[in-house]
């Protein structure tokens, strides 16, 4: 806080008028120059603390785990105060405490430890009865409380649950790294405006935060279950009933219906509103209020708010906004999105892993395109599917264009010479691969970003599956609806690979590897709620129950790494 001290100067002006009977004219008098003294800003050296004072502070706040962080932070800055400058308490402190006070808007149900103590001190030191003259016991206490609060806030709001927790929730995307002391110094240098919500987050975080505000506002709204009515399985354009009115009222509340012009009548406006709702929830956009529609519209705003909070938490785990070109697959959306210079170029449908063989959440770099690939069958599939199939039908491999090969020499081995029944309960000692061709399980092309999970993108001969709305059918790899489009895009700047050559080699039946000139970052993510480019809040089903596993951690003090807590000090 800046304190201005005034030093008014009272100037007495003595005018001596000299008169004389003998002189007719008085001597000229020059008016004195009156000095002007402006308000003076008193500068006091920035206070310093020491390790003993910090240790004493921590003994008085024993359940706060910021001890080592505080000692290290102040040690690096020669124990100079951070929240006080030469003139008093910095105004950034007020901006930061406002963030802490509104932590609920960040989708976090915790409250900050010792916030009441901090707030009382802040108010006291900001009052007219307090004069800042340098370090004292009050501003030392506030200084350390503010820094401890900042480390706690940054850890919970900007960094999120611990990395060990996120990995236990099967999130293996490399996380951003924040150094809280450096972050605090940077924000203080940049001034009060730097203390904005959502800093150090991907853009989606702020969009979800605003969506959370809307759904939280609906939290107390009565949300009874609605249905198509007795002896009906769906409601469509032209229907009239009390159930139609219930649908209209709910679509109005959710913002999918702009106005209610024909209560109880499934009119054209209602049809469009139903389609918009279906679009936002990944349903077939047919305008019919059927089973899938009612399954989604009966989910309460309170549950949707929790779903949004779960995805805000995932945003905290994502590295800083990706730069340049990259590929992102959102598993619950069944979509791939391709970005160039941070702008979306195109999207395509995907097929992801079944619940029993879920696609892993991770990131890597795409390095190779393989045209007319062999499919090397994973050992788990050999043991679980192919060995039993060969025991029942010795022609299974030939019929599926597969061959057995030696793992060392890669030479083909006649399948007829193998005693398949002998491997029904043990490890199969050979490899099995499917030859290139239209029948190949990988289709005509695959895209490799070598990783420990053996996940990659590929074509598929089962094109009809892309017509389905829910597309979790694979063994874990990601099938692409338009693989040739992706290949052409990745090689668009390579003169050796014009479109016609890509098409020829891709369908040539000879396995051909192409190394990309530069690797492309790939993110395999899992978001069940987000805000799209049109500003609509999108929701998807939690196909792998990752939301279900995450939600308990969103309750107060759920993660042992946190230094925020519910309740009072």
């Amino acid at each position: 806080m800046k304190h201005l001290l005034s030093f008014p100067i009272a100037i007495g002006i003595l005018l001596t008028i000299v008169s004389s009977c003998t002189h007719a004219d008085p001597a000229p008098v020059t008016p004195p120059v009156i000095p002007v003294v402006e308000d003076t800003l008193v500068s006091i050296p920035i206070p310093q603390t020491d390790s003993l004072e910090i240790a004493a502070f921590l003994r008085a706040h024993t359940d706060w785990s910021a001890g080592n962080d505080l000692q290290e932070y102040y040690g690096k800055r020669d124990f100079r105060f951070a929240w006080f400058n030469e003139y008093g308490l910095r105004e950034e402190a007020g901006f930061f405490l406002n963030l802490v006070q509104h932590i609920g808007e960040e989708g976090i149900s915790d409250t900050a430890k010792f916030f009441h103590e901090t707030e009382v001190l802040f108010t006291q030191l900001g009052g007219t009865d307090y004069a800042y003259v340098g370090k004292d016991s009050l501003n030392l206490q506030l200084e350390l409380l503010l820094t401890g609060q900042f480390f706690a806030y940054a850890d919970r709001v900007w960094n999120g649950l611990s990395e060990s927790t996120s990995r236990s929730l099967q999130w293996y995307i490399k996380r951003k790294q924040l150094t809280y002391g450096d972050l605090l110094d940077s924000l203080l240098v940049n001034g009060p405006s730097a203390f904005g919500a959502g800093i150090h987050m991907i853009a989606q975080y702020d969009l979800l935060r605003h969506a959370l505000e809307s759904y939280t506002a609906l939290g107390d709204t009565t949300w009874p279950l609605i249905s198509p009515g007795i002896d009906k399985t769906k409601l469509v354009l032209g229907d009239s009933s009390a159930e139609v009115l219930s649908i209209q009222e709910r679509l109005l509340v959710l913002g999918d219906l702009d106005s209610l012009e024909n209560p109880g009548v499934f009119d054209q406006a209602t049809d469009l509103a139903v389609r918009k709702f279906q679009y936002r929830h990944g349903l077939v956009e047919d305008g019919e209020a059927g089973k899938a529609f009612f399954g989604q519209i009966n989910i309460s705003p309170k549950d949707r708010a929790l779903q949004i909070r779960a995805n805000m938490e995932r945003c905290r785990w994502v590295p800083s906004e990706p730069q340049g070109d990259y590929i992102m697959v959102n598993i619950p959306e069944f979509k791939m999105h391709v970005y160039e210079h941070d702008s979306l170029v195109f999207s395509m449908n995907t097929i992801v892993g079944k619940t029993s063989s879920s696609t892993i959440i991770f990131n890597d770099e795409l390095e190779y395109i393989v045209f007319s690939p062999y499919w090397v069958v994973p050992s788990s599939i050999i043991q679980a599917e192919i060995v039993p199939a060969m025991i029942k039908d010795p022609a299974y491999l030939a019929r599926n264009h597969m061959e057995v090969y030696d793992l060392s020499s890669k030479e083909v081995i006649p399948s007829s010479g193998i005693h398949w029944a002998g491997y029904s309960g043990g490890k199969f000692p050979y490899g099995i691969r499917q030859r290139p061709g239209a029948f190949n399980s990988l289709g005509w092309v695959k895209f490799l970003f070598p990783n420990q999970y053996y996940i990659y993108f590929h074509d598929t001969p089962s094109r009809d599956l892309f017509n389905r709305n829910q597309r979790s059918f694979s063994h874990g790899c990601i099938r692409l609806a338009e693989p040739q489009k992706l290949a052409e895009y990745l090689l668009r700047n390579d003169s050796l690979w014009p479109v016609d050559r890509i098409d020829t080699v891709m369908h040539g039946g000879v396995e051909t590897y192409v190394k990309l000139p530069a690797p492309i970052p790939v993110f395999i993510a899992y978001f069940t709620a987000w805000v799209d480019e049109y500003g609509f809040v999108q929701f998807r089903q939690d196909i792998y129950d990752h939301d279900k596993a995450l939600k308990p951690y969103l309750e107060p003090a759920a993660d042992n790494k946190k230094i925020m807590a519910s309740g009072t000090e």
Side-chain angles (χ1 to χ4, degrees), residues 199-410:
I199 63 173
H200 295 278
M201 300 290 188
I202 59 173
Q204 189 61 220
Y205 180 86
D206 263 346
L207 297 173
L208 283 174
R209 190 163 58 87
H210 291 301
L212 177 65
E213 183 179 354
S214 298
Y215 278 85
T216 301
L218 296 174
D220 296 329
T221 304
T222 303
W223 212 258
L225 294 179
I226 57 178
S227 68
I230 300 174
D231 298 329
K232 279 184 171 286
T233 58
K234 61 183 178 181
L235 294 170
V236 298
L237 185 66
D239 285 344
S240 299
S241 67
E243 288 77 16
V244 171
L245 177 59
S246 296
I247 291 173
Q248 291 171 323
E249 291 173 340
R250 186 151 302 176
L251 291 172
L252 195 64
V253 168
L254 293 173
D256 296 297
L257 181 64
D258 295 330
S259 61
L260 185 52
E261 299 178 0
N262 296 301
V265 179
F266 203 124
D267 57 7
Q268 191 65 44
T270 304
D271 178 86
L272 291 174
V274 169
R275 291 175 189 270
K276 180 180 176 182
F277 180 89
Q278 290 171 327
Y279 161 73
R280 293 197 305 110
H281 294 78
L283 307 177
V284 177
E285 298 168 46
D286 57 9
E288 297 182 353
K291 181 179 178 180
F293 172 85
F294 286 107
Q296 293 298 310
I297 205 167
N298 280 321
I299 296 176
S300 70
K302 183 177 180 180
D303 288 337
R304 287 303 190 195
L306 186 55
Q307 186 176 356
I308 291 171
R309 288 175 57 200
N311 287 276
M312 289 176 68
E313 179 63 35
R314 292 189 180 107
C315 288
R316 298 183 178 103
W317 306 342
V318 175
S320 301
E321 202 79 51
Q323 302 294 315
D325 301 351
Y326 64 95
I327 296 171
M328 195 272 277
V329 172
N330 186 20
I331 296 170
E333 188 187 7
F334 309 110
K335 288 273 190 181
M336 169 187 279
H337 305 284
V338 179
Y339 292 85
E340 182 178 348
H341 303 305
D342 310 325
S343 297
L344 181 65
V345 180
F346 61 87
S347 301
M348 71 174 69
N349 289 340
T350 64
I351 292 171
V352 300
K354 297 175 288 188
T355 303
S356 59
S357 54
S358 60
T359 298
I360 305 297
I361 303 165
F362 73 107
N363 68 298
D364 214 298
E365 293 186 327
L366 198 158
E367 299 180 51
Y368 302 95
I369 301 174
V370 184
F371 295 121
S372 290
Y374 278 93
W375 176 42
V376 178
V377 184
S379 58
S380 59
I381 297 178
I382 293 175
Q383 206 65 52
E385 300 179 22
I386 293 182
V387 170
M390 283 297 290
I391 293 172
K392 293 180 180 179
D393 178 13
Y396 177 85
L397 286 183
R399 190 169 62 253
N400 287 280
H401 309 279
M402 293 180 175
E403 57 192 24
V404 182
Y405 65 94
D406 183 271
L407 291 171
S408 299
S409 67
K410 308 301 180 184

Side-chain angles (χ1 to χ4, degrees), residues 44 52 55 93 120 124 145 149 151 167 247 258 291 302 322 388 394 405 443 476 482 484 514 520 535 564:
I44 296 174
L52 295 178
V120 169
Q124 184 177 351
L145 281 168
Q149 294 277 8
F151 289 168
R167 290 182 70 85
I247 291 173
D258 295 330
K291 181 179 178 180
K302 183 177 180 180
Y405 65 94
E482 304 171 86
Q484 187 165 344
V514 181
I520 306 294
M564 310 291 279

Side-chain angles (χ1 to χ4, degrees), residues 84-205:
F84 289 79
N85 58 21
E86 297 92 335
Y87 310 110
L89 183 62
R90 301 176 62 135
E91 59 182 323
E92 288 86 353
F95 281 80
F96 168 63
L97 288 180
N98 184 62
L99 286 183
V100 179
Q101 191 171 31
H102 293 88
I103 194 171
E105 296 176 7
E106 309 300 323
I108 293 182
S109 56
D110 294 357
T111 54
K113 287 183 179 180
F114 312 113
F115 180 73
H116 177 69
E117 179 184 354
T118 309
E119 194 174 35
V120 169
L121 271 175
F122 176 80
T123 302
Q124 184 177 351
L125 269 63
T128 56
D129 294 335
Y130 178 79
Y132 175 68
V133 293
K135 186 176 81 171
D136 57 36
S137 61
L138 293 179
N139 58 43
L140 170 63
Q141 187 85 344
L142 181 58
E143 167 71 24
L144 297 178
L145 281 168
L146 284 169
T147 303
Q149 294 277 8
F150 180 85
F151 289 168
Y153 185 92
D155 185 64
R156 186 63 192 91
V157 178
W158 295 329
N159 192 57
L161 298 174
S162 66
E163 186 165 2
S164 62
T165 299
S166 63
R167 290 182 70 85
S168 74
L169 295 168
Q170 301 180 52
W171 181 279
Y172 303 112
I173 293 177
K174 185 178 180 180
R175 293 181 54 163
K176 65 176 180 281
Q177 300 297 318
L178 295 177
T179 303
Y180 303 141
D182 293 344
L183 177 58
L184 173 56
D185 289 341
S186 173
L187 293 175
L188 290 172
V189 166
N190 291 323
S193 61
F195 284 83
I199 63 173
H200 295 278
M201 300 290 188
I202 59 173
Q204 189 61 220
Y205 180 86

